[in-house]
Amino acid sequence: MTGAMNDVLEQREGSIEEYRKGISMDGAGTGAAFFVNGIFQGIELFDREATFGKMFPKLLSGVAVEAMMAQGQKLSARRAKTPEETMKYVSRILAEVSKSLFEKFEPVGWGGLAV
């Protein structure tokens, strides 16, 4: 690993923080869908509110980097243009996810290193 991405994040930390300030969670939740310029970037779903709450700032940092990279790009005609279009898109994604087969497994270990 070269650490190049870490260098970019350190250089842009102020800008990333500005993006994070502009976005907040309203109430508790277990996931979020992310769009940049109306283009779907991803969806993150967790099984617990606490886990999602802990990860939310890190997720926003990743989306902030995507948004900075998208600055100045021509907007796609296929982007979601209204909140209603965005919600329909997310609803379709969640409908597909709900059709997926999920299996629950007990963890093999607690994730620590043996000393």
Side-chain angles (χ1 to χ4, degrees), residues 23-36:
I23 302 172
S24 64
M25 284 194 321
D26 291 336
T30 57
F34 297 98
F35 290 76
V36 173

Side-chain angles (χ1 to χ4, degrees), residues 3 10 21 29 34 48 58 64 70 75 85 91 93 101-102 105:
E10 284 181 13
K21 285 181 186 176
F34 297 98
R48 291 185 175 86
K58 293 178 183 185
L75 294 177
E85 288 178 10
S91 294
I93 292 168
L101 175 63
F102 290 94
F105 297 95

